[in-house]
């Protein structure tokens, strides 16, 4: 595994007339990918799952753990697809998209973005799509489906995990700006993730495993959420989240 700011190599030209095979097998195609996620263990897992180039056609040419690293690596390697986490140190996935807008608009060699996140919250989905991402899939996706999604995004398709497309359709069908929730805005992105999982009935250990953090860190986030929202326990938190349709 390379350092987050270093590219792993370069790929040869893709053969555009040969279609990609869904779910493994290269079909003669290649796609150069950068992984952007602040959890090294998750990047390592994705690399192992989809980065066997001879079998998948996917070549991971770089990776990054925060916004500044992401912009540096993407600019240096010019991948065809970036797998982008929504919640990153330095401003999040939306900030990466904003700073890479010129690369996305390049008519000769566009860099396309596919959000890959644990979050399935409507505001996260809508935010990165408005920022220019071509799709949004959650981290429950299988390796086979992720490879297929990467190739589809490379070809210009829009790709979404089940039910997430509805968020985008609803958002772009409406001209009204979403209401501001001052209470929710007090929470960090990570605190919102923990909040949703707590409200869905996950135990601390399950949340820690899903978010790649420690149980102690989960406990700290829960305490911060309860304090900021002036709630006493997880039952009140669940009612609060349900009333705002965050679950």
């Amino acid at each position: 595994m390379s350092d987050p700011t270093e590219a792993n190599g370069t790929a040869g030209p893709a053969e555009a007339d040969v279609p990609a095979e869904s779910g493994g097998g290269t079909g003669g195609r290649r796609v150069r990918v950068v992984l952007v996620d602040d959890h090294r263990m998750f990047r390592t897992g994705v690399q192992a799952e989809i980065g066997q180039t001879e079998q998948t056609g996917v070549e991971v040419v770089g990776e990054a753990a925060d916004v500044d690293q992401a912009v540096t690596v993407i600019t240096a390697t010019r991948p065809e697809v970036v797998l982008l986490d929504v919640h990153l140190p330095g401003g999040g996935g939306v900030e990466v998209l904003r700073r890479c807008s010129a690369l996305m608009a390049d008519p000769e060699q566009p860099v396309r973005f596919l959000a890959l996140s644990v979050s399935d919250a409507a505001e996260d989905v809508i935010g990165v799509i408005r920022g220019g991402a071509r799709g949004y899939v959650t981290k429950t996706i299988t390796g086979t489906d992720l490879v297929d999604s990467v190739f589809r995004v490379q070809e210009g398709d829009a790709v979404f995990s089940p039910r997430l497309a509805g968020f985008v359709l609803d958002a772009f069908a409406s001209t009204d700006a979403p209401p501001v929730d001052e209470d929710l805005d007090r929470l960090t992105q990570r605190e919102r993730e923990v909040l949703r999982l707590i409200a869905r009935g996950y135990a601390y250990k399950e949340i820690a495993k899903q978010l790649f953090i420690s149980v102690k860190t989960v406990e700290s986030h829960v305490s911060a959420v309860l304090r900021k929202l002036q709630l006493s326990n997880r039952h009140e938190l669940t009612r609060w989240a349900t009333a705002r349709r965050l679950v």
Side-chain angles (χ1 to χ4, degrees):
M1 178 62 60
S2 65
D3 183 87
T5 61
E6 294 179 352
N8 294 333
T10 58
E15 297 175 19
D17 295 334
V18 183
E21 293 179 11
S22 172
T26 69
R29 293 295 306 274
R30 292 289 188 274
V31 57
R32 302 170 70 249
V33 172
V34 163
L35 305 178
V36 180
D37 193 287
D38 61 338
H39 294 101
R40 179 179 291 275
M41 287 179 62
F42 181 76
R43 298 197 311 269
T44 300
V46 173
Q47 168 82 289
E49 187 74 22
I50 72 171
Q52 304 300 316
T53 307
E54 292 306 314
Q55 287 73 44
T56 65
V58 175
E59 181 182 5
V60 178
V61 297
E63 55 183 80
D66 60 34
V67 170
D68 288 340
Q69 289 178 3
V71 173
T72 298
V73 173
I74 293 165
T75 302
T77 60
R78 297 297 293 266
E80 291 150 306
V81 177
V82 177
L83 289 176
L84 178 69
D85 193 12
V86 175
H87 303 143
L88 296 166
V94 172
E95 178 64 12
V96 175
L97 291 164
R98 185 187 69 80
R99 291 169 60 178
C100 291
S101 58
L103 298 178
M104 289 189 284
D106 187 334
E108 299 296 327
Q109 189 182 353
V111 176
R112 296 188 168 103
F113 288 79
L114 173 61
L116 175 62
S117 176
V118 70
S119 172
D120 60 0
E123 64 265 28
D124 289 336
V125 179
I126 294 164
V128 295
I129 297 304
R130 288 191 185 280
R134 294 294 305 174
Y136 194 116
V137 295
T138 61
K139 291 180 178 179
T140 57
I141 193 170
T142 66
T144 296
D145 287 341
L146 183 56
V147 169
D148 182 62
S149 297
V150 166
F151 274 112
R152 288 174 59 192
V153 166
Q154 178 199 27
E155 294 162 0
D157 289 347
V159 179
F160 296 92
S161 289
R163 99 182 181 88
L164 299 188
F167 295 155
V168 179
L169 292 174
D170 290 344
F172 284 91
S174 173
T175 57
D176 297 328
V180 175
D181 189 325
E182 293 183 359
D183 289 333
L184 188 61
D185 285 347
R186 293 191 185 101
L187 306 182
T188 66
Q189 293 288 356
R190 180 62 84 194
E191 288 167 353
R192 294 185 193 189
E193 291 177 344
V194 172
L195 163 66
R196 292 189 185 92
L197 293 173
I198 285 288
R200 291 171 183 171
Y202 284 76
Y204 286 3
K205 287 184 179 180
E206 294 172 322
I207 296 172
K209 182 177 180 180
Q210 185 158 343
L211 298 181
F212 299 95
I213 58 180
S214 69
V215 173
K216 186 175 181 179
T217 300
V218 174
E219 293 173 349
S220 296
H221 286 314
V222 172
S223 295
V225 170
L226 292 174
R227 183 181 68 254
K228 290 180 181 181
L229 300 180
Q230 298 182 358
L231 301 173
S232 300
N233 53 55
R234 66 182 297 163
H235 300 295
E236 291 183 3
L237 186 152
T238 299
R239 289 197 296 271
W240 187 93
T242 301
R244 286 162 173 77
R245 298 181 180 180
L246 299 177
V247 181

